[in-house]
Amino acid sequence: MSEKNIYEALLAKDTCLSVIGLGYVGLPIALEYAKSIKVIGFDIKPERVELMKKHIDPSNELEASDFANSDIMFTSNEEDLKKASFHIVAVPTPIDKHCLPDLTPLLSATRSVGRNLKKGDYVVYESTVYPGCTEEDCVPILEELSGLKFNVDFKVGFSPERINPGDKEHSLQTITKIVSGSCPEALENIANVYSLVAKAGVFKASCIKVAEAAKIIENTQRDVNIALMNELSLIFNKMGINTFEVLEAAGTKWNFLKFFPGLVGGHCIGVDPYYLTFKAKEYGHYPQIIESGRSINDHMGAYVAETTVKKMISLGLHIKDSHVLVMGATFKENVSDIRNSKVADIIHELQSYGVIVDVIDPYADSDDLKHEYGFALTKDVRNDYDAVILAVNHKDYANLSEEYFQKITKANVVFFDVKGIYRGKIKQMTYVSL
C-alpha cells in the first residue's frame, strides 16, 4: 500500500482502518468512520466485543441506533489488524499509585499494532501523553516488532482525543480535530483521513510534539483554574462568604473566566497534568503552579468530608455510627464512569471518623464500585440520615425538593451541596457548599 494512496484506498474500500481500544473515545470514532469506509474495531476484552456486536455500548454513551449502517467488524483477535492499513490507537493513559504515568495500556496496544504492521501503513495515536512519547516510546516498539523502518516503511501521527463524556453538544463531529504527522506527506494524508469524520475541520500542528503538548495543556489549564476556585472556596468559607455568590458577582465582568470549585477526578483533568510534570522534571524543571493545583484538587474530597463532620459536631450530633447519605459516585454528572472518582475520597474520609455511609447513584455499577473502591451502592435509602452530601449533580438530582431531603433525614441535619445547585433553595437544613 503506497502512503500516497491511503486516503483513496480507504474511500474505495480497498483497505480498511482499525481502531485499537473501543472505550468512550475509540468506539465513537470507529462508528463514525464506518459510515463511509471499512473499519476494524479491536478491543482486548472479548466480553466488550460481544456487547458491541449486539449494538450495545459498554460505556453507556451511545445508543443502539448509533451502530446502524456501519461497515465495521468488532474483534479481539489482533491478527485481524493485518487487514488494516491505517491504525488509530485510542487506549487509556492512566497514572499509577505514585501519580506517575502508566503507559502499560499504550505500549501493549503498540505491540499489538507492531506485530501486525505492514509496509505503507499509518499509525495514529489519540491517547493523551507527554510531549515526545509517540516518537520516543512508541515508534521504537513499532520498528522492533514489525522489522520496518520509521518514516520509510510506515508513518506515524498524533491526533489528540477531545471527546467529553456525557456531552452531547461537543461531539466528534463538532470539535476541531488537531492532527500531526511524522513528515509533511504523512501530515497531509492523516489530515485527509480525519476530514472524513471531523466535520468542524482539522488543525494541522507543526509536529507531533506540538500536538501532544496542545492536548495536555488543555486539561492542565482547566485543572489549574479549578484549583484556584477551590482555593478561593477554602478562603471564603472561613470568611463566611458563599463562593458561588462571589463568582456570580465577579462573573458580570466581561473578561472574568467562569470556572467553579468542585471535585476534579476522572481520567483526563485529574490525570493529564501528572504526565506533563513528569516530563518537565526529566528536563530539570520542577513545576510549581501545576503541582500546587493538583495538590489542592486532590484534597477537596477529604475537605468535603471534614467540613461535613465539623458542621455535624457544631449541631451537637454524635459522629461515630452516625449515618450520612452520599448522592453520586461517578467522576462527573450523567455518566457511568467511576475512574478516579474523588467521591471515593469523601466516603473513605467519612468512614475514618466512624461514620456509616450509604451511597446512591443512578449511573454507577455497584459491583464496579466495590471492586475499585471497596464500597457498594445502597439499595434502600433510610429515613434518618444525620447528613446528606450531594456529591455529583446528576440530572436525576437537579429538581428535588427540600421536603424530599427532609423525609430521608432527621430534624437536625447537614446538607452539603458540593456544586451549589440548591443554593437559596434549602431553608430548614444546615446548608453548606464549596
Side-chain angles (χ1 to χ4, degrees):
M1 174 68 59
S2 170
E3 69 272 12
K4 294 180 181 179
N5 299 317
I6 185 68
Y7 174 67
E8 290 83 0
L10 286 168
L11 282 178
K13 298 194 175 184
D14 293 333
T15 186
C16 59
L17 174 147
S18 78
V19 178
I20 296 91
L22 299 176
Y24 83 96
V25 173
L27 182 56
I29 292 171
L31 291 175
E32 190 64 24
Y33 269 118
K35 293 177 182 178
S36 54
I37 62 176
K38 291 168 59 178
V39 174
I40 295 172
F42 173 81
D43 198 282
I44 59 172
K45 296 182 178 179
E47 64 275 14
R48 289 176 59 87
V49 169
E50 289 306 310
L51 287 174
M52 286 179 274
K53 286 180 179 179
K54 298 174 183 176
H55 295 185
I56 299 171
D57 177 10
S59 299
N60 297 316
E61 289 284 318
L62 303 176
E63 304 294 334
S65 58
D66 293 315
F67 289 77
N69 302 315
S70 299
D71 190 354
I72 186 167
M73 179 184 77
F74 294 110
T75 181
S76 57
N77 181 3
E78 75 168 46
E79 291 188 1
D80 287 328
L81 297 176
K82 286 188 172 72
K83 303 170 187 175
S85 301
F86 195 101
H87 307 275
I88 295 176
V89 178
V91 296
T93 42
I95 53 174
D96 63 18
K97 63 181 180 180
H98 303 294
C99 295
L100 296 174
D102 179 5
L103 296 179
T104 303
L106 183 70
L107 300 184
S108 177
T110 299
R111 293 186 187 97
S112 293
V113 174
R115 286 189 288 265
N116 296 281
L117 199 63
K118 309 180 303 299
K119 191 171 184 179
D121 282 4
Y122 276 71
V123 184
V124 180
Y125 289 88
E126 294 219 357
S127 306
T128 305
V129 293
Y130 47 73
C133 181
T134 299
E135 292 157 296
E136 297 166 11
D137 298 298
C138 298
V139 166
I141 293 174
L142 294 174
E143 284 191 310
E144 178 186 358
L145 295 179
S146 69
L148 301 175
K149 189 169 180 59
F150 173 52
N151 261 348
V152 175
D153 299 319
F154 68 94
K155 311 285 189 182
V156 167
F158 184 83
S159 180
E161 58 88 5
R162 283 174 152 178
I163 293 175
N164 185 24
D167 188 341
K168 302 303 181 183
E169 179 184 354
H170 301 98
S171 63
L172 175 64
Q173 298 91 340
T174 62
I175 302 172
T176 300
K177 201 79 169 74
I178 296 174
V179 296
S180 63
S182 52
C183 67
E185 188 175 34
L187 175 59
E188 288 303 314
N189 282 302
I190 291 169
N192 286 337
V193 172
Y194 270 101
S195 68
L196 291 171
V197 294
K199 304 306 180 186
V202 297
F203 177 88
K204 298 176 183 177
S206 59
C207 65
I208 289 175
K209 282 186 179 180
V210 165
E212 291 168 326
K215 167 58 184 179
I216 210 162
I217 70 165
E218 289 175 13
N219 286 334
T220 300
Q221 182 190 65
R222 285 188 58 78
D223 191 47
V224 170
N225 276 285
I226 296 171
L228 174 60
M229 298 302 106
N230 279 332
E231 187 160 51
L232 291 176
S233 177
L234 301 180
I235 296 168
F236 293 146
N237 282 344
K238 288 181 179 294
M239 297 178 175
I241 304 171
N242 185 280
T243 308
F244 290 98
E245 291 178 4
V246 175
L247 295 176
E248 184 179 31
T252 59
K253 190 165 188 271
W254 69 90
N255 61 352
F256 186 81
L257 301 179
K258 294 189 177 182
F259 287 89
F260 300 94
L263 303 174
V264 184
H267 39 81
C268 293
I269 299 178
V271 171
D272 296 352
Y274 287 120
Y275 275 71
L276 183 56
T277 57
F278 168 80
K279 198 63 175 179
K281 290 172 185 177
E282 277 193 7
Y283 284 84
H285 179 81
Y286 291 81
Q288 298 178 52
I289 293 176
I290 299 172
E291 291 197 330
S292 293
R294 279 282 75 236
S295 177
I296 290 169
N297 287 342
D298 276 347
H299 175 68
M300 293 309 292
Y303 170 78
V304 169
E306 292 165 4
T307 302
T308 301
V309 168
K310 288 178 181 178
K311 287 292 182 181
M312 292 170 66
I313 292 172
S314 72
L315 295 176
L317 301 178
H318 185 65
I319 300 303
K320 183 172 174 53
D321 295 328
S322 61
H323 289 86
V324 174
L325 176 66
V326 175
M327 302 176 68
T330 60
F331 89 89
K332 66 176 289 188
E333 64 273 10
N334 306 324
V335 301
S336 61
D337 200 334
I338 64 167
R339 285 179 290 174
N340 195 30
S341 173
K342 294 305 175 182
V343 179
D345 294 349
I346 297 176
I347 295 163
H348 293 150
E349 188 70 17
L350 287 171
Q351 290 172 336
S352 73
Y353 286 98
V355 173
I356 299 170
V357 185
D358 284 352
V359 186
I360 60 174
D361 191 293
Y363 299 91
D365 183 272
S366 186
D367 291 337
D368 289 345
L369 286 168
K370 184 69 175 178
H371 177 266
E372 188 70 22
Y373 300 114
F375 61 84
L377 298 176
T378 187
K379 294 181 180 179
D380 300 310
V381 174
R382 300 170 64 95
N383 62 2
D384 61 349
Y385 290 109
D386 298 288
V388 173
I389 299 176
L390 183 55
V392 185
N393 56 326
H394 291 309
K395 59 185 179 183
D396 309 63
Y397 302 152
N399 297 303
L400 299 173
S401 65
E402 184 169 15
E403 287 72 24
Y404 167 79
F405 294 114
Q406 288 177 313
K407 286 179 181 178
I408 63 173
T409 57
K410 295 178 180 176
N412 194 26
V413 298
V414 176
F415 183 88
F416 200 126
D417 179 16
V418 171
K419 298 297 286 289
I421 64 173
Y422 280 92
R423 179 167 56 90
K425 299 177 182 178
I426 301 297
K427 307 294 184 181
Q428 305 302 317
M429 310 165 79
T430 299
Y431 179 85
V432 189
S433 69
L434 285 181

